[in-house]
Amino acid sequence: MWLCGPEFLYNECSFHPESSVPTLNDSVSTLNDPVPEERCCVQSTIAANHLQNSNDLFQKYSSLSKLKGVAAYCLRFVNNCRISKDKITGFLNTSELNTAMNVLIKSVQFIEFNNKINALKRNQALSCRSKILSLNPFLNNSGIFRVSGRLRHANIAYGHKHPILLPKRHILTNLIVRYYHEILLYAGPQLVQSSIQEHYWIIGSKDVIRHLIRTCVKCYRIRASITNQMMSDLPTTRISPSPTFLRCGVDYAGPFQIRGSKGRGSKSLKAYIAIFVCFSIRAIHLICN
């Protein structure tokens, strides 16, 4: 803090030091000077992550019906955006649900069997070490990976002759197994497997089905083991030797309808039975009254 100010203020203006603050003329001349253009080069890398996004869709839902419904509504929205007239509204129909299921299956097969599908598209043979080589898979007209076989000329449904190939460890596979297990009223592994093989061929299906049925909450409650009560020791009268009917137990049974004689005129009477059980040799004596 200055009490008297700087010393050059007491002198004349000619003796003042030169100012370093730019004037208005200096700023205008500076603005008119050309400024060199500076360019920066930025490199960005975009990684295709569509496979992970497709898995996120399967992880959001625990029901096959709900997953198909959401996928069908998404496909309807895409189709309605492409057309300007006759847009589809209202409830979902069967064809939309089937189309959505085919899209989900193709996305799963693209993730799990990408190399094998590309080899078949290039008309190349599968590797001899491939686990699905014995199934003789092929791509149909819809681009779905199916299992071949010897039932080509059989008079059965196309999906039964050539079921859709699905991987062993995938969320969609678990949802399909759980769906068939529920619609069959929580049936066993054999019935669930035979029903699934009419449409799908799951690699290692026995292990997958048994694991999901074993972890089913409702089936676990039904198979709950009943606790067995610990029996007490036998009394002395049951294990000590004694004459017949010296120590016995008594019980009653009835009433019973009996007849004293044969014929139409005989009347039925009410009778009770006294049961005597010997504790030593378990002999039984009946007395009817």
Side-chain angles (χ1 to χ4, degrees), residues 160-221:
H160 200 177
K161 290 188 291 186
H162 304 291
I164 299 172
L165 187 62
L166 291 176
K168 181 178 181 180
R169 295 180 179 87
H170 197 272
I171 303 175
L172 182 62
T173 304
N174 297 336
L175 293 179
I176 290 174
V177 174
R178 189 176 293 112
Y179 170 76
Y180 277 91
H181 180 55
E182 292 177 357
I183 64 174
L184 294 174
L185 302 179
Y186 302 94
Q190 294 182 355
L191 181 57
V192 174
Q193 183 179 3
S194 62
S195 300
I196 290 176
Q197 287 181 350
E198 294 181 358
H199 304 280
Y200 307 99
W201 186 276
I202 302 174
I203 300 175
S205 58
K206 290 184 178 180
D207 297 335
V208 177
I209 294 172
R210 288 175 181 174
H211 174 71
L212 290 177
I213 292 178
R214 195 180 300 114
T215 56
C216 179
V217 177
K218 293 187 177 180
C219 295
Y220 181 79
R221 292 176 179 175

Side-chain angles (χ1 to χ4, degrees), residues 96-121:
E96 289 179 317
L97 293 175
N98 294 335
T99 303
M101 189 63 187
N102 292 335
V103 171
L104 294 174
I105 290 172
K106 287 194 289 186
S107 64
V108 172
Q109 291 179 345
F110 181 78
I111 297 172
E112 300 294 335
F113 309 112
N114 188 16
N115 297 331
K116 301 175 180 61
I117 292 175
N118 293 332
L120 292 178
K121 288 181 179 179

Side-chain angles (χ1 to χ4, degrees), residues 40-201:
C40 58
C41 182
V42 179
Q43 295 181 356
S44 60
T45 304
I46 300 175
N49 199 17
H50 60 279
L51 300 181
Q52 183 178 0
N53 295 333
S54 60
N55 279 331
D56 293 340
L57 178 62
F58 295 108
Q59 294 175 357
K60 289 182 179 179
Y61 305 100
S62 59
S63 173
L64 181 63
S65 302
K66 192 170 185 179
L67 178 62
K68 287 196 301 183
V70 172
Y73 275 117
C74 293
L75 294 176
R76 175 188 285 185
F77 175 76
V78 173
N79 294 330
N80 289 338
C81 291
R82 293 176 179 175
I83 59 178
S84 59
K85 297 181 180 180
D86 299 333
K87 294 185 178 182
I88 303 174
T89 57
F91 295 102
L92 296 172
N93 52 36
T94 306
S95 61
E96 289 179 317
L97 293 175
N98 294 335
T99 303
M101 189 63 187
N102 292 335
V103 171
L104 294 174
I105 290 172
K106 287 194 289 186
S107 64
V108 172
Q109 291 179 345
F110 181 78
I111 297 172
E112 300 294 335
F113 309 112
N114 188 16
N115 297 331
K116 301 175 180 61
I117 292 175
N118 293 332
L120 292 178
K121 288 181 179 179
R122 294 192 296 266
N123 295 326
Q124 296 178 357
L126 298 179
S127 175
C128 59
R129 298 181 180 179
S130 178
K131 296 181 180 180
I132 63 174
L133 182 62
S134 59
L135 301 176
N136 193 15
F138 69 97
L139 289 174
N140 63 352
N141 298 329
S142 301
I144 297 178
F145 212 30
R146 291 183 177 270
V147 176
S148 182
R150 303 175 62 187
L151 302 176
R152 183 177 303 175
H153 303 291
N155 189 16
I156 54 179
Y158 180 78
H160 200 177
K161 290 188 291 186
H162 304 291
I164 299 172
L165 187 62
L166 291 176
K168 181 178 181 180
R169 295 180 179 87
H170 197 272
I171 303 175
L172 182 62
T173 304
N174 297 336
L175 293 179
I176 290 174
V177 174
R178 189 176 293 112
Y179 170 76
Y180 277 91
H181 180 55
E182 292 177 357
I183 64 174
L184 294 174
L185 302 179
Y186 302 94
Q190 294 182 355
L191 181 57
V192 174
Q193 183 179 3
S194 62
S195 300
I196 290 176
Q197 287 181 350
E198 294 181 358
H199 304 280
Y200 307 99
W201 186 276

Side-chain angles (χ1 to χ4, degrees), residues 7-17:
E7 295 180 356
F8 67 86
L9 294 178
Y10 297 98
N11 301 327
E12 295 181 359
C13 295
S14 59
F15 295 99
H16 289 181

Side-chain angles (χ1 to χ4, degrees), residues 196-266:
I196 290 176
Q197 287 181 350
E198 294 181 358
H199 304 280
Y200 307 99
W201 186 276
I202 302 174
I203 300 175
S205 58
K206 290 184 178 180
D207 297 335
V208 177
I209 294 172
R210 288 175 181 174
H211 174 71
L212 290 177
I213 292 178
R214 195 180 300 114
T215 56
C216 179
V217 177
K218 293 187 177 180
C219 295
Y220 181 79
R221 292 176 179 175
I222 294 173
R223 296 193 307 266
S225 59
I226 302 174
T227 57
N228 296 323
Q229 184 68 30
M230 182 64 68
M231 302 297 292
S232 61
D233 296 335
L234 295 174
T236 307
T237 55
R238 290 282 304 275
I239 57 178
S240 300
S242 62
T244 307
F245 290 104
L246 179 63
R247 300 183 180 92
C248 61
V250 182
D251 197 1
Y252 293 93
F256 299 97
Q257 298 293 333
I258 62 174
R259 290 185 178 183
S261 61
K262 296 181 180 180
R264 294 183 178 179
S266 62

